[in-house]
């Protein structure tokens, strides 16, 4: 009889412990289960958290992942310098080509034609190319006195062409204590998710708090990709079910940002362009539901620099759908066509604000006209 009693008590104790264990691990994975089935991924606990919040440590449960150390992203001030080398490597042909042509003893018609071709090949665009050539012709005309230095003239004119009076700041903070909301749009594979991840790192480096919204719900892999970016720097990612409503994820992400007093919410979106009406509906809805919570402070259009004219056409479609406030030009490291900066700004009337210069996590820099031109000229 006594043995039976001990056995029953033992089973009951094991049962209670198991239940408690399940509840604790459930709680640690999710915070405040939000509406619908949107889920907030909590960054892995830091060492101190692990120490104070350790579960009863059942002997069999060895599968608990060790907390990875958080990465310290690079501050943006040093980035352009570091990446300049990469930019000049990919764009060197343009700058060096123009310089050597302009340094010829005699600038005859053939030379001017070659200059024009060089600019067109680099995707500067027809109208800007003609305007630039016209200016160079005028300024480099030798009139009696000493010939002007082609390098100085070319540098000045290129900087002017790229534009120094555009506001290239990315608006990442909101008003009235609300978070800034950055919506990231663009076609498939342009680099949206990577851009969201890289911007998150720039913000973390500036000590801002960030939430990511995985509003690309079409591929499970897209959500995981974003979650990985977030986890590496301890940033929370709000995600929904695969195939769920992107707008509801965006809504929950911004709500999470507002409720937690976060500085910036970055929203990643899907980029299919097969159906303009569908895309318009989706992006329009995302923007509307976000604005029930906080203003969208920035809409960044991500454009792959290697796609040339095709990219431009797609950019135009997006700018018709949403009010794009800035352009992120990615993969400039793999394209010799840096002239696209000039053309896309002209086409869309919005400045290039950031440039992607590699696949590394900190290979993105704020765009700056003179640094860009200096990299071109080597
Ligand atoms: N070299 C280089 N590769 C980049 C850059 N930015 C992004 N990529 C790469 O481009 C590929 C696509 O990037 P994603 O961020 O997944 O693109 P996406 O727009 O989110 O794609 P979808 O979600 O499919 O629409 C990845 O392999 C990135 O590593 C860049 O600046 N330079
Ligand atoms: Mg993506």
């Amino acid at each position: 009889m006594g043995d039976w009693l001990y056995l029953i008590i033992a089973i009951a104790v094991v049962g209670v412990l198991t239940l408690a264990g399940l509840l604790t691990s459930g709680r640690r994975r999710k915070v405040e289960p939000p509406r619908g089935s949107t889920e907030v991924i909590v960054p892995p606990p830091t060492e101190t958290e692990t120490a104070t919040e350790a579960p009863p440590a059942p002997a069999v449960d060895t599968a608990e992942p060790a907390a990875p150390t958080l990465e310290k992203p690079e501050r943006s001030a040093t980035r352009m310098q570091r990446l300049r080398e990469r930019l000049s490597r990919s764009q060197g042909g343009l700058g060096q080509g123009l310089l050597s042509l302009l340094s010829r003893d005699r600038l005859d018609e053939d030379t001017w034609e070659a200059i024009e071709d060089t600019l067109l090949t680099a995707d500067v665009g027809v109208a800007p190319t003609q305007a630039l050539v016209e200016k160079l012709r005028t300024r480099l005309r030798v009139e009696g006195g000493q010939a002007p230095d082609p390098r100085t003239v070319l540098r000045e004119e290129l900087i002017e062409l790229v534009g120094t009076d555009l506001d290239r700041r990315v608006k990442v903070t909101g008003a009235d204590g609300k978070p800034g909301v950055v919506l990231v749009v663009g076609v498939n594979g342009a680099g949206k998710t990577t851009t969201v991840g890289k911007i998150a790192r720039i913000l973390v480096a500036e000590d801002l708090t960030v939430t990511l919204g995985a509003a690309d719900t079409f591929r499970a892999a897209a959500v995981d990709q974003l979650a990985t970016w977030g986890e590496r720097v301890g940033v929370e990612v709000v995600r929904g079910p695969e195939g769920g409503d992107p707008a509801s994820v965006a809504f929950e992400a911004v709500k999470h940002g507002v409720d937690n007093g976060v500085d910036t919410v970055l929203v990643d979106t899907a980029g299919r362009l097969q159906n303009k009406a569908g895309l318009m509906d989706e992006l329009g809805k995302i923007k509307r539901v976000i604005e029930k919570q906080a203003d969208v402070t920035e809409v960044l259009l991500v454009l792959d620099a290697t796609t040339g004219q095709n990219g431009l056409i797609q950019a135009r479609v997006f700018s018709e759908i949403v009010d794009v406030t800035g352009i992120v030009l990615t993969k400039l490291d793999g394209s010799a066509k840096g002239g696209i900066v000039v053309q896309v700004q002209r086409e869309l009337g919005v400045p290039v604000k950031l440039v992607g210069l590699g696949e590394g996590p900190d290979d993105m820099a704020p765009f700056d006209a003179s640094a860009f031109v200096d990299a071109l000229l080597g």
Side-chain angles (χ1 to χ4, degrees):
M1 181 61 194
D3 286 353
W4 278 104
L5 195 60
Y6 280 129
L7 191 61
I8 289 165
I9 290 171
I11 291 172
V13 168
V14 168
V16 167
L17 284 180
T18 314
L19 193 64
L22 281 177
L23 286 177
T24 339
S25 64
R27 205 190 60 223
R28 292 177 67 238
R29 232 161 257 136
K30 282 183 193 177
V31 283
E32 41 159 301
R35 291 183 342 177
S37 40
T38 318
E39 179 190 3
V40 179
I41 302 173
V42 187
T46 59
E47 267 152 42
T48 41
E49 265 180 292
T50 324
T52 52
E53 220 199 326
V60 282
D61 191 1
T62 50
E64 191 74 24
T69 29
L70 295 186
E71 293 176 17
K72 186 116 188 74
E74 183 182 357
R75 286 187 173 263
S76 61
T78 56
R79 286 171 184 241
M80 199 61 185
Q81 270 164 288
R82 178 173 62 80
L83 296 170
R84 206 173 128 170
E85 169 73 7
R86 215 168 285 173
L87 191 57
S88 69
R89 215 181 304 139
S90 65
Q91 310 297 324
L94 171 59
Q96 295 306 314
L98 288 175
L99 268 182
S100 75
L101 286 167
L102 288 168
S103 306
R104 287 185 182 172
D105 287 341
R106 252 177 50 81
L107 291 174
D108 55 17
E109 282 313 307
D110 284 351
T111 309
W112 284 113
E113 215 163 279
I115 290 169
E116 226 174 83
D117 287 347
T118 308
L119 289 165
L120 290 173
T121 308
D123 271 349
V124 174
V126 178
T129 293
Q130 281 167 353
L132 177 63
V133 167
E134 214 40 60
K135 280 188 162 177
L136 291 174
R137 270 176 182 260
T138 314
R139 288 193 61 184
L140 291 172
R141 201 168 284 144
V142 189
E143 285 163 343
Q146 196 161 6
D149 173 27
R151 190 193 172 86
T152 311
V153 172
L154 179 63
R155 181 176 182 274
E156 283 173 12
E157 290 302 335
L158 283 176
I159 290 175
E160 164 98 17
L161 192 67
V162 173
T164 48
D165 49 358
L166 302 168
D167 184 2
R168 299 187 192 273
R169 288 170 298 181
V170 182
K171 286 166 199 68
V172 291
T173 48
D176 308 326
K178 289 195 173 167
V181 180
V182 181
L183 188 61
V184 177
V185 304
V187 294
N188 283 38
K192 294 177 296 297
T193 306
T194 308
T195 293
V196 168
K198 286 174 174 176
I199 296 177
R201 295 176 68 94
I202 293 180
L203 299 179
V204 166
E206 314 266 84
D207 298 322
L208 293 171
T209 50
V210 182
T211 295
L212 305 182
D216 179 356
T217 57
F218 288 85
R219 291 183 298 120
V223 177
D224 294 339
Q225 186 191 353
L226 191 68
T228 304
W229 278 98
E231 278 161 15
R232 288 170 70 174
V233 285
V235 160
E236 291 185 8
V237 182
V238 176
R239 61 198 287 174
E242 191 180 349
D245 180 15
S248 101
V249 179
F251 180 87
E252 291 299 338
V254 176
K255 183 174 189 306
H256 184 265
V258 171
D259 292 349
N260 292 277
V262 158
D263 293 310
T264 313
V265 181
L266 303 170
V267 180
D268 186 24
T269 63
R272 295 129 310 104
L273 198 66
Q274 290 93 324
N275 178 344
K276 187 176 160 186
L279 189 69
M280 195 181 300
D281 283 352
E282 184 174 305
L283 287 179
K285 191 173 166 201
I286 289 177
K287 196 153 183 256
R288 274 196 311 280
V289 301
I290 288 176
E291 281 171 345
K292 289 182 182 167
Q293 301 272 349
D295 288 344
V296 173
T297 49
E298 189 84 56
V299 179
L300 293 177
L301 174 67
V302 179
L303 199 65
D304 177 341
T306 63
T307 56
Q309 295 303 315
N310 233 339
L312 272 186
I313 294 167
Q314 295 161 345
R316 217 173 297 140
V317 173
F318 270 94
S319 72
E320 285 163 14
I321 295 174
V322 276
D323 278 329
V324 175
T325 55
I327 297 153
V328 180
L329 206 55
T330 59
K331 311 185 195 180
L332 262 181
D333 54 307
S335 153
K337 297 171 177 286
I340 196 82
V341 170
V342 174
Q343 227 187 138
V344 72
Q345 290 186 153
R346 211 172 246 242
E347 280 276 329
L348 306 187
V350 278
V352 171
K353 294 191 170 178
L354 293 160
V355 283
L357 289 157
E359 293 195 86
D362 290 328
D363 291 345
M364 170 162 279
F367 183 76
D368 174 77
S370 357
F372 179 68
V373 170
D374 285 339
L376 289 191
L377 297 179

